[in-house]
Amino acid sequence: MQENGTEVTAAGIARLAGVGRAAVSNWRRRHADFPKPVGGTETSPSFALTDVEDWLRTQGKLAEVPLRERVWQQLAGHPEGPVTALVHVGCVLLLVHDRPTVWLELGAGSDARLAERLPGPLDQVLTPRFGTGRERAVETPTTARLLASAPLLRGAVELASELGTRRTYEFLLGRHLDANPRQYTLTPTGLASLMADLAGPARSALDPACGTGGLLRAVAAAQANGTAGNPHLHGQDSSPELAALTALRLGLHTRATVRTAAADSLRADAYPGLRADAVLCHPPFNERNWGHDELAYDPRWEYGFPARTESELAWVQHALARLADGGVAVLLMPPAAASRRSGRRIRADLLRRGALRAVIALPPGAAPPYNIPLHLWVLRRPAATGHPAHPEVLLADTGAFAADSRDDLDWQGVRAAVLDAWRPFDRTGTAAEQPGLSRSVPVIELLDDDVDLAPARHLPPPAAGGTEQLANVREHLGETLRLTGDLTPPAADPRRPTRWPLTTVGELARGGALLLRTGGSGGQARVPVLTDHDVLSGSAPSGTLPESDDEPVIIESGDVVVPVLGGGSVARVVDGATAGAALGRNLALLRPDPAALDAWFLAGFLRGTANNRQASSYASTATRLDVRRLQLPRLPLDQQRVYGERFRALAEFEEAIRLAGRLGEQLVRGMYDGLTDGTVAPG
């Protein structure tokens, strides 16, 4: 198979040339000699990579295809699909990693010779690394399949000479995962590292739902930083592709013994005799078809047979069954598993027998689904020595570390808070109470009719600083209220309505007095995003945009931003603190020419109620503003600035009122909490 078998999409062409997708669309329309599609669909065609490369070079738009991009395009366009290509690349990179001189000899000949002679050396590397039989998920590719991959394999090895084998594979795997976010449920690196820290040193570890191997990689990394040596790593996944990718990824990261198997862990456990020191697992959530009917008499259900709706409790007991006595399991769980009535008997038995040691609530955004504050359950298999069960369980809540977006989540802070609570508890069986964060709760307190283990239900509220902090809030509120008094607009002078000559935003945009842009739904830049909610509430940018090939609209100081949905009369002038953020969906941006328009004058007149009514559409259930129809008077710049100063003063008064409201709510809540928990005297 020659390189011209590799196809590339419009998005890939844009990356090759370093332009946006709109530029590629323009090239297709304007240049009759642009390569014709060779595949794909009418709306998403694909093109031959070599044809595209030749055309770009002829047009002077490309000196040379970057090696990274060439290899990625070859992988993405592989005739058997990118996952098969990743497996082939992983096998060869492992050969280069373990036996570099063998590749030097094999790669010197033609593609046909390479494909014919490669299976033997690959098998000599894969067998000692991954074993044989059922526990080997990586099969040696055949000569015919390797022939189709030969150009890709040569490119990957060349890239590895620059980046190293491990970084090359992580780059290609990461690119594939980013391109297919809905196909994979990933465990973020920060969370995987925390789970490995909670599990502690382990000579053997298992992930029975290993996915792409993130948790086992975290175990290997933690062990590499310690003194326990290389652990034995076991993974299992119902997807043969993921089991193979996990094995190859781990093989390139560690010298540990790696075994992965392709089968459903609950229905077809590949390691029935394993007793591991640690089990880490991010199981599938809310699975109804987990094997309830056929597994009713399975010996793993030591703590009770899980209901059909309690698949997560089946994974919990599977993890405990694969632990050695005293071994630790850490599972990511949906919050409902801590309180659903259908699971209360199993939860109660886990507590009574000392198997459940901690329940830790994570901030929203810690892992998919990102809008839910997931839990970590830490379990230890009780020793068979007859020692009494632990009388306490650790409950912790890290919701205080929630961020505006998941990219901004403070994993360092979450990790420190969790481990500072867990480590003393792990040593002594109890821990000092930290209001709002963690508490060592007697098991007897939890064994009621509900056996509700949600940490928030059992933790004291966060320490508010007592009367001292309430005094500070009260003082700040007093200062803000005095400021609102100073900023209160003076009494209005009555006069007859003024009839100005009017113009519209659309006319001003056509005349060049302002630039009109609308927010997008994606972008390449990883910057905070100003949302319509932020504009309405007067808060800082809090959103994120999904990554795409579109260019985001970056806002600048002096821009005027207007929400287009909801029927509200709102316009915000961007200040230095907000500048640099991306413009979110359902927002319009007006960038006035300072020589023709004053920004505050523009924003003030756009907020007029009558103005918004005449520019709004009421044809559907949601009122939509046509920004181009908004009107403002034709006034000289000096008169605009007089109005602008008045509008600026109104905006300062509005912000002071908002702040006073927030401080008032904080003071009232603090007083209620202080009076009810006894830290504030009623007299």
Side-chain angles (χ1 to χ4, degrees):
M1 185 93 172
Q2 300 302 313
E3 286 184 329
N4 60 9
T6 299
E7 298 176 10
V8 60
T9 64
I13 297 173
R15 281 194 293 268
L16 287 171
V19 298
R21 290 183 64 178
V24 179
S25 298
N26 288 334
W27 293 342
R28 293 185 63 197
R29 288 195 301 268
R30 292 166 48 196
H31 296 277
D33 62 339
F34 191 88
K36 302 302 180 185
V38 297
T41 64
E42 184 176 347
T43 57
S44 181
S46 59
F47 307 82
L49 175 60
T50 51
D51 292 347
V52 169
E53 180 185 354
D54 291 342
W55 186 88
L56 291 173
R57 192 174 288 112
T58 301
Q59 295 291 324
K61 303 179 187 300
L62 180 69
E64 185 60 52
V65 177
L67 180 58
R68 285 189 182 205
E69 198 60 43
R70 170 179 286 279
V71 174
W72 163 248
Q73 295 298 345
Q74 289 174 331
L75 187 145
H78 193 280
E80 292 191 54
V83 176
T84 297
L86 278 168
V87 173
H88 292 182
V89 168
C91 291
V92 168
L93 289 179
L94 193 61
L95 173 65
V96 173
H97 183 274
D98 287 2
R99 301 182 182 182
T101 57
V102 174
W103 170 262
L104 291 176
E105 192 276 328
L106 291 173
S110 65
D111 287 355
R113 178 178 179 272
L114 173 66
E116 182 181 357
R117 300 186 62 184
L118 194 52
L122 287 181
D123 197 57
Q124 292 172 12
V125 170
L126 298 176
T127 298
R129 281 301 204 108
F130 306 134
T132 58
R134 186 181 178 190
E135 292 183 1
R136 176 171 161 182
V138 184
E139 297 295 333
T140 303
T142 63
T143 294
R145 302 181 76 191
L146 287 170
L147 182 59
S149 300
L152 166 64
L153 300 180
R154 293 184 187 277
V157 173
E158 184 181 354
L159 184 59
S161 67
E162 297 180 6
L163 304 180
T165 54
R166 179 186 306 176
R167 288 181 58 195
T168 296
Y169 199 63
E170 286 297 316
F171 162 70
L172 294 172
L173 176 61
R175 201 76 178 280
H176 172 67
L177 297 177
D178 289 343
N180 302 275
R182 296 183 180 179
Q183 294 183 23
Y184 305 98
T185 300
L186 305 179
T187 307
T189 302
L191 177 56
S193 177
L194 173 59
M195 293 173 69
D197 287 336
L198 288 168
R203 291 167 298 180
S204 59
L206 166 69
D207 182 350
C210 62
T212 58
L215 290 176
L216 291 174
R217 188 181 65 157
V219 172
Q223 298 301 100
N225 296 328
T227 58
N230 291 321
H232 295 269
L233 303 177
H234 300 79
Q236 185 169 348
D237 198 278
S238 57
S239 166
E241 297 172 342
L242 293 182
L245 292 180
T246 291
L248 292 165
R249 190 182 193 188
L250 294 174
L252 289 166
H253 272 83
T254 177
R255 296 300 304 183
T257 301
V258 176
R259 296 291 183 267
T260 61
D264 183 336
S265 288
L266 295 183
R267 288 188 171 91
D269 183 13
Y271 309 105
L274 178 64
R275 296 296 178 266
D277 295 329
V279 175
L280 281 74
C281 187
H282 179 172
F285 296 161
N286 302 318
E287 288 279 322
R288 294 299 182 98
N289 186 28
W290 57 267
H292 177 271
D293 294 337
E294 61 262 46
L295 298 175
Y297 301 102
D298 196 287
R300 289 173 290 183
W301 316 141
E302 295 182 49
Y303 302 87
F305 180 41
R308 189 183 303 275
T309 56
E310 294 288 353
S311 63
E312 296 85 7
L313 294 182
W315 286 99
V316 163
Q317 295 192 74
H318 173 76
L320 284 167
R322 294 297 154 262
L323 284 174
D325 290 348
V328 176
V330 184
L331 282 84
L332 187 66
M333 302 283 281
S339 55
R340 282 191 297 243
R341 290 190 61 82
S342 54
R344 66 188 187 278
R345 292 185 179 178
I346 294 177
R347 293 195 298 271
D349 209 30
L350 290 169
L351 290 172
R352 289 192 192 97
R353 297 171 59 180
L356 182 59
R357 306 299 298 120
V359 177
I360 301 162
L362 298 168
Y370 289 107
N371 61 325
I372 297 175
L374 302 175
H375 289 177
L376 287 178
W377 284 25
V378 184
L379 305 107
R380 175 171 280 119
R381 182 169 181 81
T385 57
H387 290 172
H390 298 285
E392 296 184 356
V393 64
L394 178 69
L395 300 181
D397 189 343
T398 60
F401 293 91
D404 292 333
S405 72
R406 61 177 182 263
D407 294 328
D408 297 328
L409 189 61
D410 181 11
W411 276 114
Q412 290 279 66
V414 172
R415 180 178 179 276
V418 170
L419 296 180
D420 286 348
W422 166 252
R423 283 170 175 164
F425 178 83
D426 188 34
R427 288 193 303 269
T428 65
T430 189
E433 180 179 298
Q434 301 181 63
L437 180 59
S438 65
R439 179 188 170 207
S440 179
V441 181
V443 166
I444 193 67
E445 287 189 18
L446 302 171
L447 294 176
D448 55 15
D449 288 342
D450 295 323
V451 197
D452 192 332
L453 306 180
R457 296 184 183 275
H458 304 282
L459 296 180
T467 55
E468 181 179 351
Q469 182 161 339
L470 288 178
N472 291 336
V473 173
R474 188 176 186 278
E475 182 179 353
H476 193 184
L477 176 60
E479 294 173 355
T480 304
L481 290 174
R482 286 190 292 273
L483 177 63
T484 60
D486 296 338
L487 294 175
T488 301
D493 295 330
R495 70 177 187 180
R496 296 178 63 84
T498 303
R499 301 297 182 186
W500 291 295
L502 299 175
T503 186
T504 65
V505 167
E507 291 172 349
L508 291 169
R510 287 192 294 273
L514 60 79
L515 174 68
L516 178 60
R517 301 289 300 275
T518 56
S521 57
Q524 296 174 338
R526 299 179 65 83
V527 296
V529 176
L530 185 71
T531 68
D532 52 352
H533 174 76
D534 299 331
V535 175
L536 294 170
S537 63
S539 55
S542 65
T544 58
L545 287 175
E547 190 167 344
S548 74
D549 294 310
D550 299 330
E551 291 293 333
V553 178
I554 304 299
I555 58 180
E556 300 176 1
S557 183
D559 289 345
V560 177
V561 181
V562 182
V564 298
L565 290 181
S569 302
V570 179
R572 174 171 168 176
V573 178
V574 175
D575 57 14
T578 306
L583 188 69
R585 297 179 61 188
N586 301 321
L587 289 175
L589 178 145
L590 288 74
R591 181 168 296 160
D593 179 354
L597 278 175
D598 179 81
W600 285 100
F601 164 81
L602 172 63
F605 273 96
L606 295 187
R607 292 189 62 171
T609 302
N611 198 4
N612 273 261
R613 285 178 178 171
Q614 64 84 26
S616 295
S617 168
Y618 304 92
S620 64
T621 55
T623 304
R624 187 172 188 88
L625 183 68
D626 184 351
V627 177
R628 292 181 175 274
R629 292 173 53 189
L630 287 169
Q631 299 173 336
L632 61 158
R634 298 179 182 270
L635 294 179
L637 191 58
D638 57 345
Q639 291 187 39
Q640 292 182 32
R641 288 170 177 158
V642 173
Y643 276 97
E645 286 302 314
R646 189 65 182 272
F647 287 135
R648 185 197 297 267
L650 280 174
E652 292 177 359
F653 175 69
E654 182 179 37
E655 180 56 34
I657 290 293
R658 280 199 184 108
L659 178 58
R662 291 194 295 267
L663 290 170
E665 291 177 0
Q666 188 177 348
L667 179 61
V668 170
R669 172 50 53 199
M671 289 296 296
Y672 270 111
D673 289 344
L675 288 167
T676 55
D677 65 18
T679 58
V680 174

